[in-house]
Amino acid sequence: MYRLGNFYLDPEKQLLLGQDQPVHLSRKPYLVLLFLIANRHRMVSRAELLEQFWDGKEVYDQTLSKAIGAIRKALNEPREAELFIETRWAAGYRYIGPFEELPSGNRRGVEVSLENLREDRDVPAEALAVQAEPKPRLSGRQYLWEILN
């Protein structure tokens, strides 16, 4: 479990919690948030995120912007401040918010159904794990191969 300021992120239960309540975040933005946290030591390019989560498919550039906007909204980040997600135009995004890894079971149990995450429910739980230490940078296909195998 991870503490992100006043929020808790539980990759095992696939939940984002704020004030002991689940915070709605659709599947893709949730996965993007986990990826940004796992790669918080570096700027992640828009191209890398599009390749990672949209398989390089032809999607509108706004698709990623909307996912980042959903993350900011879920974390109550004001428009005029970058408290959790840093944006560098023409470069990408980086998680800059507070981060603390907590031992398992350190949070009072909030049992909530995984139905709070709407789409793409077939992603295995292992794919959602955030590593405390950064791993070597992999291409989108290599990353997917590693987490799915």
PDB file of all heavy atoms in Angstrom, residues 19 30-32 47 68 100 103 110 114 148:
ATOM      1  N   GLN A  19      -9.792   9.671   2.618  1.00  0.00           N
ATOM      2  CA  GLN A  19     -10.633   9.792   3.809  1.00  0.00           C
ATOM      3  C   GLN A  19     -11.499   8.543   4.016  1.00  0.00           C
ATOM      4  O   GLN A  19     -12.702   8.615   4.228  1.00  0.00           O
ATOM      5  CB  GLN A  19     -11.502  11.042   3.722  1.00  0.00           C
ATOM      6  CG  GLN A  19     -10.688  12.300   3.633  1.00  0.00           C
ATOM      7  CD  GLN A  19     -11.538  13.532   3.444  1.00  0.00           C
ATOM      8  OE1 GLN A  19     -12.734  13.465   3.186  1.00  0.00           O
ATOM      9  NE2 GLN A  19     -10.917  14.682   3.572  1.00  0.00           N
ATOM     10  N   TYR A  30      -6.172   4.906 -13.747  1.00  0.00           N
ATOM     11  CA  TYR A  30      -5.588   4.212 -12.599  1.00  0.00           C
ATOM     12  C   TYR A  30      -4.258   3.563 -12.986  1.00  0.00           C
ATOM     13  O   TYR A  30      -3.255   3.692 -12.279  1.00  0.00           O
ATOM     14  CB  TYR A  30      -6.571   3.158 -12.089  1.00  0.00           C
ATOM     15  CG  TYR A  30      -6.058   2.359 -10.915  1.00  0.00           C
ATOM     16  CD1 TYR A  30      -6.146   2.859  -9.623  1.00  0.00           C
ATOM     17  CD2 TYR A  30      -5.474   1.112 -11.100  1.00  0.00           C
ATOM     18  CE1 TYR A  30      -5.669   2.128  -8.538  1.00  0.00           C
ATOM     19  CE2 TYR A  30      -4.995   0.379 -10.025  1.00  0.00           C
ATOM     20  CZ  TYR A  30      -5.092   0.891  -8.751  1.00  0.00           C
ATOM     21  OH  TYR A  30      -4.608   0.170  -7.689  1.00  0.00           O
ATOM     22  N   LEU A  31      -4.243   2.878 -14.114  1.00  0.00           N
ATOM     23  CA  LEU A  31      -3.013   2.233 -14.579  1.00  0.00           C
ATOM     24  C   LEU A  31      -1.932   3.253 -14.916  1.00  0.00           C
ATOM     25  O   LEU A  31      -0.751   3.039 -14.636  1.00  0.00           O
ATOM     26  CB  LEU A  31      -3.312   1.349 -15.787  1.00  0.00           C
ATOM     27  CG  LEU A  31      -4.180   0.125 -15.511  1.00  0.00           C
ATOM     28  CD1 LEU A  31      -4.562  -0.570 -16.816  1.00  0.00           C
ATOM     29  CD2 LEU A  31      -3.495  -0.835 -14.566  1.00  0.00           C
ATOM     30  N   VAL A  32      -2.334   4.371 -15.515  1.00  0.00           N
ATOM     31  CA  VAL A  32      -1.374   5.432 -15.824  1.00  0.00           C
ATOM     32  C   VAL A  32      -0.779   5.980 -14.526  1.00  0.00           C
ATOM     33  O   VAL A  32       0.435   6.186 -14.434  1.00  0.00           O
ATOM     34  CB  VAL A  32      -2.034   6.551 -16.664  1.00  0.00           C
ATOM     35  CG1 VAL A  32      -1.127   7.773 -16.770  1.00  0.00           C
ATOM     36  CG2 VAL A  32      -2.392   6.038 -18.062  1.00  0.00           C
ATOM     37  N   ALA A  47       4.512   9.763 -25.723  1.00  0.00           N
ATOM     38  CA  ALA A  47       4.610   8.637 -26.661  1.00  0.00           C
ATOM     39  C   ALA A  47       4.729   7.312 -25.919  1.00  0.00           C
ATOM     40  O   ALA A  47       4.099   6.318 -26.294  1.00  0.00           O
ATOM     41  CB  ALA A  47       5.791   8.837 -27.605  1.00  0.00           C
ATOM     42  N   ILE A  68      -4.882  11.977 -17.679  1.00  0.00           N
ATOM     43  CA  ILE A  68      -4.126  12.758 -16.695  1.00  0.00           C
ATOM     44  C   ILE A  68      -5.076  13.684 -15.939  1.00  0.00           C
ATOM     45  O   ILE A  68      -4.979  13.836 -14.716  1.00  0.00           O
ATOM     46  CB  ILE A  68      -2.994  13.562 -17.374  1.00  0.00           C
ATOM     47  CG1 ILE A  68      -1.962  12.620 -18.005  1.00  0.00           C
ATOM     48  CG2 ILE A  68      -2.335  14.529 -16.392  1.00  0.00           C
ATOM     49  CD1 ILE A  68      -1.180  11.754 -17.046  1.00  0.00           C
ATOM     50  N   GLU A 100       4.881   7.395   0.023  1.00  0.00           N
ATOM     51  CA  GLU A 100       5.398   6.602   1.132  1.00  0.00           C
ATOM     52  C   GLU A 100       4.874   5.186   0.972  1.00  0.00           C
ATOM     53  O   GLU A 100       3.675   4.982   0.778  1.00  0.00           O
ATOM     54  CB  GLU A 100       4.931   7.187   2.465  1.00  0.00           C
ATOM     55  CG  GLU A 100       5.422   6.417   3.659  1.00  0.00           C
ATOM     56  CD  GLU A 100       4.885   6.978   4.971  1.00  0.00           C
ATOM     57  OE1 GLU A 100       4.184   8.005   4.967  1.00  0.00           O
ATOM     58  OE2 GLU A 100       5.145   6.339   6.006  1.00  0.00           O
ATOM     59  N   PRO A 103       3.771  -0.870   4.966  1.00  0.00           N
ATOM     60  CA  PRO A 103       3.703  -2.327   5.043  1.00  0.00           C
ATOM     61  C   PRO A 103       2.269  -2.797   4.796  1.00  0.00           C
ATOM     62  O   PRO A 103       1.319  -2.077   5.104  1.00  0.00           O
ATOM     63  CB  PRO A 103       4.127  -2.644   6.482  1.00  0.00           C
ATOM     64  CG  PRO A 103       4.713  -1.395   7.028  1.00  0.00           C
ATOM     65  CD  PRO A 103       4.194  -0.256   6.207  1.00  0.00           C
ATOM     66  N   VAL A 110     -10.649  -1.183   4.424  1.00  0.00           N
ATOM     67  CA  VAL A 110     -11.827  -0.622   3.771  1.00  0.00           C
ATOM     68  C   VAL A 110     -12.162  -1.599   2.661  1.00  0.00           C
ATOM     69  O   VAL A 110     -11.477  -1.654   1.655  1.00  0.00           O
ATOM     70  CB  VAL A 110     -11.554   0.785   3.186  1.00  0.00           C
ATOM     71  CG1 VAL A 110     -12.780   1.310   2.467  1.00  0.00           C
ATOM     72  CG2 VAL A 110     -11.112   1.732   4.280  1.00  0.00           C
ATOM     73  N   LEU A 114     -14.129  -4.336  -6.339  1.00  0.00           N
ATOM     74  CA  LEU A 114     -13.306  -3.893  -7.461  1.00  0.00           C
ATOM     75  C   LEU A 114     -14.150  -3.340  -8.600  1.00  0.00           C
ATOM     76  O   LEU A 114     -13.620  -2.826  -9.561  1.00  0.00           O
ATOM     77  CB  LEU A 114     -12.451  -5.059  -7.976  1.00  0.00           C
ATOM     78  CG  LEU A 114     -11.425  -5.584  -6.986  1.00  0.00           C
ATOM     79  CD1 LEU A 114     -10.640  -6.708  -7.626  1.00  0.00           C
ATOM     80  CD2 LEU A 114     -10.510  -4.497  -6.507  1.00  0.00           C
ATOM     81  N   LEU A 148       2.813  -9.707 -17.842  1.00  0.00           N
ATOM     82  CA  LEU A 148       1.800 -10.723 -18.147  1.00  0.00           C
ATOM     83  C   LEU A 148       2.353 -12.142 -18.087  1.00  0.00           C
ATOM     84  O   LEU A 148       1.600 -13.102 -18.139  1.00  0.00           O
ATOM     85  CB  LEU A 148       1.176 -10.459 -19.516  1.00  0.00           C
ATOM     86  CG  LEU A 148       0.372  -9.161 -19.606  1.00  0.00           C
ATOM     87  CD1 LEU A 148      -0.103  -8.932 -21.027  1.00  0.00           C
ATOM     88  CD2 LEU A 148      -0.798  -9.173 -18.652  1.00  0.00           C
TER      89      LEU A 148
END
